[in-house]
Amino acid sequence: MKSKIKKFMDLVRQRNQFEPEFLQAVEEVAETVIPYIVNKEIYYGKNILLRMVEPERVIMFRVPWINDVGEIVVNRGFRIEMNSAIGPYKGGLRFHPTVNLSILKFLAFEQVFKNALTTLPMGGGKGGSDFDPKAKSDGEIMRFCQSFMGELFRHIGPNTDIPAGDIGVGGREIGYLFGMYKKLRNEFTGVLTGKGMSWGGSLIRPEATGYGTVYFAQSMLETRNDSLKGKIVTVSGSGNVAQYACEKATQLEAKVVTLSDSGGYIYDEEGIDASKLAFVMDLKNNKRARISEYIDKYPKAKYVEGKKPWGIKCDVAMPCATQNEVNKVDAKKLLANGCFLISEGANMPSDPGAVHAFQAAKILYAPGKASNAGGVATSGLEMSQNSLRIVWTREEVDERLQDIMSNIHENCIKYGKQDDGYVDYVTGANIAGFVKVADAMLAQGVV
Ligand code: GLU
């Protein structure tokens, strides 16, 4: 088995030598999916996984724009159209200086599996730019978004490719992108998700990724007749996912004690309750300030500069910041402190060393492609509402989201339960996602 995986990875590595994050994401899938497909006759000679690691299309383009002092700035734009076997390409846009082909290909690859897990008809894609939104004026953000859409519009459409937000792309950016798309196409369609409520958005979409991550944790706890009540939770990040993970966990009577940003983390032993979270939301979403300001308002809390919150004692950890934010050393600290549940809100936040440590310790460990699928699932619900030209209530959307998350959890158990009863959610998510996409690809022939 090991040699089969190695042979496959050698081939993928040869072709994608300078893409470490992409190779990391592929290897994790190969390790779990290859052992599953070797005994299945229907996959013989079809090279399905090899076809899945090759994007259907990669679009790379120049994004020139003019900053507030009149200089011309040039950024690079991307859209990876990874797989459309089960639906149009679907996935977010990330605006962050670290964005490159490797990062977006890993995200697009993960998105294919994640979207399949939601059971909604969505293929996988991802895009973005190395543009850094930090400290940019509103006018600069708008001009950048308009230039970005000035090229992207010819590649996307409500039945072709439907982008959304990710790091650095929230409601404001989706608004500017949508406005430009509509102007260029002269069409009002559901081409983007994460839209404002008065122009085609869905209730619960802003909350969905964070809520979904907590719902998934709840399902995992239920397998041990346990609940979130009274649990100490560490959350990293302070953006959209972290904020709503914190909100839902608190509503379910857990105590969230940390949040972070790229500068460091805050530790509030008394818990970040609803009113403290409202302060954080205003700080991050309106003032666009640093999390360190939390301690000016709540001096009993601590701010730790340049560090991540994984050394803080907790029962449950929810990494909601970015890829590879938890390494093997962090994982060992979490385990030594008694953490027994990880529900990932970010995409691939645990590096392979951390994942293997969690698996070896047999704790409840949910990979992002399962536990953070609530965001894109609710994007799927936004698309359904756009097509039907109706708006569902908060309760309706939330109920569907909860159903989808518990369905994903069931599917992970179906494909991930080991002989000793331990549920390997990584294996479960990868195989469940793979089977759905692979079967569609088999049916559609070599295209
Ligand atoms: N960027 C989110 C994700 O990683 C959401 C994508 C979407 O809604 O299309 O799944």
Side-chain angles (χ1 to χ4, degrees):
M1 189 60 60
K2 280 237 160 71
S3 75
K4 276 205 168 65
I5 298 169
K6 187 177 176 302
K7 209 170 136 208
F8 174 80
M9 282 313 298
D10 284 347
L11 204 61
V12 182
R13 206 166 283 121
Q14 208 175 19
R15 269 198 181 148
N16 305 282
Q17 283 180 50
F18 305 107
E19 297 171 10
E21 292 85 1
F22 177 59
L23 291 169
Q24 182 185 331
V26 171
E27 186 154 26
E28 185 212 272
V29 167
E31 278 174 357
T32 50
V33 166
I34 291 177
Y36 174 79
I37 54 181
V38 282
N39 304 319
K40 309 274 181 306
E41 224 173 295
I42 52 161
Y43 300 121
Y44 284 0
K46 303 289 184 191
N47 269 345
I48 293 278
L49 200 54
L50 201 58
R51 284 149 69 184
M52 283 173 73
V53 299
E54 205 54 38
E56 289 178 16
R57 192 175 299 106
V58 173
I59 303 146
M60 230 166 116
F61 51 98
R62 176 171 68 200
V63 190
W65 56 282
I66 299 178
N67 70 14
D68 284 348
V69 292
E71 288 163 355
I72 298 168
V73 187
V74 180
N75 282 104
R76 185 171 284 179
F78 302 85
R79 186 72 185 165
I80 318 294
E81 297 185 334
M82 199 76 194
N83 194 302
S84 63
I86 62 167
Y89 311 107
K90 179 83 196 89
L93 297 171
R94 178 176 291 193
F95 292 169
H96 194 271
T98 57
V99 161
N100 57 34
L101 199 57
S102 172
I103 301 259
L104 293 180
K105 278 178 68 182
F106 114 65
L107 289 164
F109 184 68
E110 293 252 316
Q111 200 82 42
V112 173
F113 292 80
K114 187 197 307 196
N115 294 4
L117 284 171
T118 67
T119 69
L120 301 175
M122 300 183 289
K126 203 87 188 191
S129 173
D130 58 0
F131 172 74
D132 186 359
K134 218 182 262 173
K136 298 289 186 299
S137 72
D138 206 56
E140 289 177 322
I141 298 280
M142 182 177 75
R143 290 194 296 281
F144 174 79
C145 288
Q146 290 177 339
S147 178
F148 185 85
M149 188 53 86
E151 173 58 35
L152 189 68
F153 84 99
R154 64 187 96 247
H155 308 288
I156 62 175
N159 296 310
T160 308
D161 184 352
I162 306 95
D166 195 82
I167 294 173
V169 178
R172 171 179 63 166
E173 291 74 19
I174 293 294
Y176 295 146
L177 292 162
F178 183 80
M180 194 62 180
Y181 180 88
K182 181 163 65 65
K183 182 185 171 95
L184 293 169
R185 285 262 197 220
N186 195 25
E187 262 176 21
F188 194 112
T189 64
V191 66
L192 291 155
T193 59
K195 299 186 289 298
M197 271 318 294
S198 60
W199 41 282
S202 172
L203 289 163
I204 301 283
R205 177 62 190 89
E207 294 89 336
T209 313
Y211 278 17
T213 303
V214 175
Y215 292 149
F216 200 90
Q218 218 180 4
S219 295
M220 290 199 288
L221 285 164
E222 276 163 15
T223 65
R224 298 190 178 178
N225 294 320
D226 203 348
S227 77
L228 273 166
K229 191 171 175 179
K231 298 286 181 296
I232 305 291
V233 181
T234 50
V235 173
S236 64
S238 49
N240 165 270
V241 182
Q243 290 171 14
Y244 288 105
C246 178
E247 180 171 283
K248 185 51 74 182
T250 306
Q251 284 170 2
L252 295 173
E253 297 177 68
K255 196 197 306 183
V256 177
V257 293
T258 65
L259 286 171
S260 70
D261 64 16
S262 56
Y265 74 89
I266 54 122
Y267 173 48
D268 188 338
E269 206 181 343
E270 290 175 359
I272 302 161
D273 61 17
S275 77
K276 292 173 180 176
L277 181 62
F279 172 80
V280 172
M281 287 184 175
D282 182 49
L283 195 71
K284 284 284 158 186
N285 309 348
N286 305 324
K287 301 201 174 78
R288 299 185 191 270
R290 312 303 298 162
I291 197 72
S292 57
E293 289 187 26
Y294 185 92
I295 56 164
D296 300 337
K297 172 90 174 162
Y298 304 105
K300 278 197 203 151
K302 270 197 288 195
Y303 175 64
V304 183
E305 202 182 322
K307 291 253 162 21
K308 292 166 186 161
W310 312 129
I312 299 290
K313 192 173 164 51
C314 65
D315 305 303
V316 170
M318 298 188 185
C320 297
T322 194
Q323 68 274 356
N324 292 331
E325 57 168 313
V326 185
N327 61 27
K328 195 176 176 173
V329 177
D330 300 321
K332 292 258 149 87
K333 271 191 247 169
L334 283 162
L335 292 168
N337 278 332
C339 175
F340 68 94
L341 188 155
I342 313 277
S343 189
E344 296 183 341
N347 290 311
M348 205 170 74
S350 303
D351 79 1
V355 175
H356 292 144
F358 296 142
Q359 287 169 323
K362 301 207 169 186
I363 62 162
L364 296 165
Y365 166 65
K369 61 170 85 76
S371 49
N372 77 28
V376 74
T378 309
S379 279
L381 301 177
E382 182 173 332
M383 288 159 66
S384 303
Q385 292 169 83
N386 292 163
S387 299
L388 295 166
R389 302 197 186 285
I390 56 167
V391 178
W392 291 328
T393 62
R394 259 188 97 79
E395 291 69 30
E396 260 177 296
V397 181
D398 196 26
E399 204 172 296
R400 284 175 206 263
L401 170 62
Q402 291 188 46
D403 276 355
I404 290 170
M405 295 315 294
S406 95
N407 214 319
I408 296 174
H409 182 262
E410 284 301 308
N411 251 312
C412 287
I413 293 187
K414 179 174 168 194
Y415 289 103
K417 200 168 197 152
Q418 312 290 294
D419 293 340
D420 64 357
Y422 171 67
V423 179
D424 180 342
Y425 288 89
V426 177
T427 300
N430 288 344
I431 297 177
F434 172 84
V435 166
K436 184 152 186 215
V437 178
D439 289 357
M441 288 174 73
L442 283 178
Q444 292 168 25
V446 183
V447 287

